[in-house]
Amino acid sequence: MATHKRTSTSTPARSRRGRLAASTVVAAALTGGLLTVTAASASAAPAEPLPSHEADFNGDGVADLATSAPGANVAGKDSAGQVTVTYGGTTLRHKTFSQNSAGVPGSAEKGDGFGSDTAYGDFDRDGYDDLAVGAPGEDVGSDTDGGTAQILWGSANGLTGGTTVQDPRPSGHDFFGGPMEAGDFDGDGATDLAIGARSGAATIDVINGDISRTHGTGESRYTVKPAIISGEGAGPFNLHSGDVNGDGRDDLIVDGYSTADDYNANLWVPGTPDGLKTAQQQRLPGGLITDVGDTDGDGYGDIVIGLQWDDEIAGAHKGGSVHVVHGAANGPYGDTQVFTQDSAGVPGTGEKGDSFGTELDLGDINGDGHLDLVIGAAGEDLDGVADAGAVTVIYGAADGSGLSTRGAAFLDQNTPGVPNSNETYDFFGSDVHVDDLNGDGRGDVTVGASGENGENGAIYPLTSKADGTLAGTSGVYTSTVGISATGRPRLGTNFAD
């Protein structure tokens, strides 16, 4: 499990998308081919853009979802990695990519970890969302584990073809492409891509928008260095973006070990007309996982932080905690809400190792126009079943005043309407995501269970009903999407956001 204080022998904290797999991603198995899907006409124009928190790779106006299995084995190459895209609609359709897939740069190699982190946005401004995929274990020439990032391009046929993003400092780091995040950091209307590296300098490279399909470069590039520690096992562990101060530009939330005291911390780095600037960076509570959204309708993005640890760091609570730091015109200086499993109205009880807050995501589940919060507790023990995992849903208040524990829901795999059953080390809640996958105006919840079936992994799409309750009919397993069961693929480790 990730640590909250840096020590010379500690296991490094890991990013959202790769936390359950080490930076030299564990062995797993997958196929090199693609699943056949029904595609829209190549001449179709993209529909109106979806909300910024929902990807639409084929431009049909219905949300799509990208899921990683970074520990998968491709053509006998352990931990080469694979990404499955689920196209939304009346019937969900899946297509699976590796570096052996047609049009994807490079080839599958042992330890690449393709999909360890992902991010989406319309990087070339053609109206279709694209998918940036990190392979931090990629050997680049003679540079072992130099790492790389690639973009798979959206079209009316979905994701097709790819381009390697040019690494602006190939000798300055290792595991490039570890954490990544998309956002419009300078407010010019183009989607920028921030890329970190899990070892080396604690410097984040930002590729300005309009990224070229031919060269993998943007209009320009720059670096930003937040107050986090560099070196082996350090650097940025997680990145997330959103407009916290309401100025129309995305800000970046960076997680890492603080240079002030070596403890895990999140830093708010504001966007400006000239891009991200650290001059006014603000330290926030620790916790690996973050999301940004206007939970109280005041026009400012609130930063939601999952602090999964039981103790020994400021803000910790037995079983884990979630902190909502409210945004304001001068940044994240508003009041902070704290939710734990011991909070009034929250189902369950905080127990050591629950990891409440191990993952989280915001979205409008019941279609009332207010953001709701889904919280994963992948370490939850249930009726003697160790690490079965669970998910809690906290809904936005009907009056728009913010998140409220009234009516909070608790889901596990023994809950009616949730497929499968609780089993040891399923880690149900290893990732969570809210997307309107069927286009009915309500956010559906997809839950990852990276430990399902001996770490093959699985995802469980749960459809939101009109009353805000959730139910699914079946899981999506490695066999569903053409990933080999050899090794430990850990499908459901990460959803793109």
Side-chain angles (χ1 to χ4, degrees):
M1 184 60 65
T3 57
H4 46 66
K5 189 177 192 297
R6 178 175 168 82
T7 66
S8 59
T9 58
S10 66
T11 301
R14 301 169 190 148
S15 79
R16 172 176 189 171
R17 290 92 179 177
R19 192 172 60 256
L20 296 180
S23 56
T24 54
V25 187
V26 297
L30 45 90
T31 61
L34 302 180
L35 296 182
T36 302
V37 299
T38 302
S41 168
S43 62
E48 288 298 313
L50 293 172
S52 60
H53 63 275
E54 295 188 346
D56 186 5
F57 301 122
N58 58 5
D60 64 355
V62 182
D64 306 319
L65 177 67
T67 308
S68 295
N73 176 294
V74 180
K77 307 296 185 181
D78 287 342
S79 303
Q82 189 163 6
V83 173
T84 292
V85 175
T86 298
Y87 293 101
T90 304
T91 301
L92 300 182
R93 301 169 291 117
H94 312 286
K95 188 171 183 177
T96 300
F97 297 86
S98 75
Q99 286 185 286
N100 281 0
S101 298
V104 177
S107 59
E109 299 168 319
K110 181 178 179 179
D112 282 351
F114 182 76
S116 291
D117 204 358
T118 50
Y120 63 78
D122 184 3
F123 297 114
D124 59 354
R125 291 213 266 191
D126 67 349
Y128 299 95
D129 279 327
D130 314 304
L131 182 67
V133 182
E138 177 91 18
D139 294 342
V140 182
S142 61
D143 184 6
T144 301
D145 296 332
T148 191
Q150 300 174 346
I151 295 177
L152 306 184
W153 300 104
S155 72
N157 293 320
L159 295 179
T160 180
T163 302
T164 297
V165 177
Q166 294 299 309
D167 184 348
R169 298 180 301 108
S171 62
H173 45 228
D174 280 327
F175 302 108
F176 181 69
M180 300 191 298
E181 180 67 7
D184 183 4
F185 304 119
D186 53 10
D188 66 353
T191 303
D192 311 317
L193 181 61
I195 308 176
R198 289 182 184 152
S199 185
T203 301
I204 297 166
D205 293 282
V206 182
I207 313 299
N208 273 336
D210 287 330
I211 296 176
S212 166
R213 292 192 179 206
T214 303
H215 304 293
T217 57
E219 290 184 329
S220 61
R221 67 191 187 205
Y222 62 95
T223 60
V224 59
K225 190 170 183 178
I228 58 173
I229 291 172
S230 61
E232 184 177 357
F237 302 134
N238 190 22
L239 304 174
H240 204 89
S241 64
D243 185 4
V244 177
N245 57 5
D247 66 356
R249 293 179 286 269
D250 285 324
D251 312 314
L252 189 67
I253 314 302
V254 181
D255 180 75
Y257 292 125
S258 171
T259 56
D261 54 16
D262 287 9
Y263 275 91
N264 184 277
N266 286 287
L267 296 172
W268 171 68
V269 180
T272 76
D274 297 318
L276 296 168
K277 299 293 182 181
T278 60
Q280 296 182 351
Q281 65 186 314
Q282 173 72 17
R283 180 170 176 168
L284 306 167
L288 296 174
I289 306 307
T290 57
D291 198 4
V292 178
D294 185 3
T295 64
D296 54 6
D298 65 356
Y300 302 104
D302 308 314
I303 303 170
V304 186
I305 301 170
L307 203 167
Q308 69 185 54
W309 301 299
D310 299 296
D311 50 27
E312 297 184 357
I313 185 172
H317 183 277
K318 186 169 69 172
S321 57
V322 171
H323 300 245
V324 182
V325 183
H326 290 275
N330 55 349
Y333 298 96
D335 294 335
T336 300
Q337 289 177 280
V338 179
F339 298 104
T340 74
Q341 287 184 292
D342 294 319
S343 298
V346 176
T349 302
E351 300 165 318
K352 190 170 183 178
D354 283 348
S355 295
F356 182 79
T358 190
E359 291 293 348
L360 49 82
D361 199 35
L362 291 164
D364 184 4
I365 296 170
N366 53 12
D368 66 354
H370 307 305
L371 288 178
D372 311 309
L373 175 63
V374 183
I375 303 169
E380 183 83 34
D381 296 345
L382 297 165
D383 298 323
V385 180
D387 295 334
V391 167
T392 299
V393 180
I394 296 176
Y395 293 95
D399 62 3
S401 59
L403 297 168
S404 169
T405 60
R406 183 176 181 179
F410 182 91
L411 304 172
D412 60 52
Q413 288 187 280
N414 284 355
T415 301
V418 178
N420 216 319
S421 59
N422 294 333
E423 298 167 313
T424 302
Y425 308 136
D426 274 353
F427 298 113
F428 183 77
S430 59
D431 204 353
V432 294
H433 209 268
V434 183
D435 290 292
D436 181 10
L437 293 175
N438 59 8
D440 66 358
R442 297 186 297 271
D444 308 307
V445 176
T446 305
V447 182
S450 63
E452 186 74 58
N453 297 329
E455 297 185 86
N456 280 348
I459 65 173
Y460 296 94
L462 305 177
T463 300
S464 176
K465 300 180 180 179
D467 61 0
T469 60
L470 297 158
T473 57
S474 63
V476 177
Y477 304 97
T478 53
S479 59
T480 311
V481 298
I483 296 176
S484 170
T486 303
R488 296 177 289 176
R490 289 178 171 169
L491 179 68
T493 295
N494 163 51
F495 297 131
D497 66 1

